[in-house]
Amino acid sequence: MKGICLILASLLLATLAKAEYFYGLNYGINQDSCPTLEDVKKDLTALKPYTNRIRIFSLSVCNQAELALQATQELGMQLYLGMWVDRPDTFDNEMKALDNIASKYGFSNVDAIIVGSEVLYRNDTDSASLANYIKKVKDTIGPKGVKVTTADVYYELPPDVVQELDFVMMNAFPYWEGVSVQDGASTLMNHYDHVVTIAQGKPVKISETGWPSAGDNFGDAVPSPENQKTYLAAVLCEAKKRNIDILWFSAKDEPYRSGVEAHWGILNANNTLKSNIPLSTLQNPC
Ligand SMILES: *[C@@H]1O[C@H](CO)[C@@H](O)[C@H](O)[C@H]1NC(C)=O
Ligand SMILES: *[C@@H]1O[C@H](CO)[C@@H](O)[C@H](O)[C@H]1NC(C)=O
């Protein structure tokens, strides 16, 4: 009897631990006030009921890669490691950090390395240089079996970059296109379908999308708790039907960012689930 109870209890725990309402969540940090390992563990423990996977944006800044690797490996979570690319010296710092974590932690729970976030969108470098950065990372960690990609907006994925990727990741924010929330999910799916046509047969994942719960209107796009829920449910429903992997933007509100940028989280800044996002919506978005 005791044995059966234990088996049932561990089955229940395994089921709970697998509650992946989100394929993954984008996890930003305040670079002006670097978190400690305890801070990161606290955040990821709060996120784990909703996802088993996070993505970070830089390896070296605030020593994020080490903190995220330690926390995810302890909590049994998966990780997308982002390398920040804007200037050549930044890339060199990130490469050093990559070498360091490769020897210290390994990549057993790393889904992929994302070389650069919206690099081409920001005009930080040209596509040939970005392709070259990606190639360098692939030469370093490709032999260890780790996948390599970049993440950029859906209209900045040129053929010479796509050619270097193991799979394609696209960002799209109908909010920043000034689209009404009713047209949000269909707008996202149109962009996704377009990227599939330029992906050279590679799988396509969505690296960022989301809707803010507060802030200024942008064209017909209105931030509100209700609209955040509407967009979330519509997109999660499409993702489920079409089996699309999405890293939602973002994990939690970031009050240190200004204006609308502070309000994209599914968690409040204090790590509670936003009250406009009921568990029932996450469980059954369609
Ligand atoms: C990047 O450059 C293009 C062409 O010069 C310009 O239209 C665009 O606004 C720039 N993007 C950013 C984010 O500065
Ligand atoms: C967390 O933050 C939200 C939004 O600011 C607030 O409504 C809620 O009361 C807070 N919860 C706790 C436990 O502090």
Side-chain angles (χ1 to χ4, degrees):
M1 187 63 193
K2 201 172 159 198
I4 291 173
C5 284
L6 275 177
I7 289 166
L8 285 178
S10 45
L11 276 178
L12 181 64
L13 278 176
T15 315
L16 286 176
K18 281 218 184 82
E20 293 199 42
Y21 303 129
F22 294 90
Y23 169 74
L25 294 169
N26 282 285
Y27 177 63
I29 58 151
N30 184 356
Q31 304 193 353
D32 297 324
S33 170
C34 292
T36 63
L37 177 60
E38 286 315 306
D39 294 332
V40 173
K41 275 203 280 200
K42 213 166 87 187
D43 285 346
L44 299 200
T45 303
L47 293 170
K48 198 171 148 82
Y50 313 108
T51 190
N52 205 41
R53 179 178 285 107
I54 63 151
R55 175 249 190 132
I56 62 167
F57 290 87
S58 166
L59 305 180
S60 60
V61 175
C62 292
N63 199 22
Q64 268 176 86
E66 286 208 50
L67 298 182
L69 276 161
Q70 287 179 69
T72 52
Q73 289 184 354
E74 227 169 275
L75 292 165
M77 295 172 81
Q78 292 292 116
L79 181 61
Y80 277 93
L81 286 173
M83 295 175 75
W84 192 256
V85 176
D86 47 14
R87 303 181 313 261
D89 57 327
T90 320
F91 180 73
D92 291 344
N93 285 341
E94 293 285 274
M95 278 304 274
K96 272 185 213 135
L98 187 64
D99 285 340
N100 173 50
I101 56 174
S103 58
K104 261 167 110 171
Y105 302 96
F107 297 107
S108 60
N109 68 325
V110 173
D111 288 295
I113 310 286
I114 304 177
V115 185
S117 170
E118 299 190 337
V119 175
L120 298 182
Y121 165 73
R122 284 194 315 275
N123 297 324
D124 276 344
T125 186
D126 57 16
S127 67
S129 308
L130 178 59
N132 198 40
Y133 287 144
I134 294 164
K135 225 181 279 180
K136 278 191 182 153
V137 174
K138 261 169 57 180
D139 288 345
T140 308
I141 51 125
K144 297 182 201 294
V146 185
K147 289 195 160 57
V148 179
T149 187
T150 188
D152 219 310
V153 293
Y154 62 92
Y155 54 88
E156 288 282 11
L157 292 161
D160 57 340
V161 168
V162 169
Q163 195 183 328
E164 294 304 326
L165 308 176
D166 288 321
F167 60 91
V168 178
M169 289 195 120
M170 55 159 273
N171 294 357
F173 288 96
Y175 169 83
W176 288 119
E177 296 176 58
V179 165
S180 78
V181 74
Q182 279 69 33
D183 296 331
S186 60
T187 301
L188 175 71
M189 288 306 135
N190 286 342
H191 298 329
Y192 179 83
D193 290 336
H194 161 71
V195 171
V196 168
T197 67
I198 59 157
Q200 301 172 15
K202 301 175 185 194
V204 179
K205 298 177 193 286
I206 296 175
S207 34
E208 292 181 32
T209 195
W211 197 276
S213 60
D216 292 335
N217 295 355
F218 194 84
D220 290 337
V222 178
S224 70
E226 188 52 40
N227 287 353
Q228 184 183 44
K229 176 189 166 184
T230 300
Y231 184 71
L232 177 66
V235 172
L236 287 185
C237 178
E238 285 295 324
K240 205 169 171 176
K241 279 193 213 151
R242 298 189 50 183
N243 204 15
I244 299 172
D245 293 338
I246 300 181
L247 298 173
W248 196 261
F249 189 89
S250 66
K252 53 186 287 191
D253 274 359
E254 300 179 75
Y256 46 87
R257 300 178 73 173
S258 59
V260 73
E261 298 282 2
H263 305 288
W264 294 77
I266 61 137
L267 300 190
N268 294 300
N270 63 12
N271 282 346
T272 57
L273 186 64
K274 280 185 179 169
S275 57
N276 54 300
I277 304 174
L279 210 50
S280 55
T281 298
L282 298 179
Q283 284 161 343
N284 198 356
C286 295

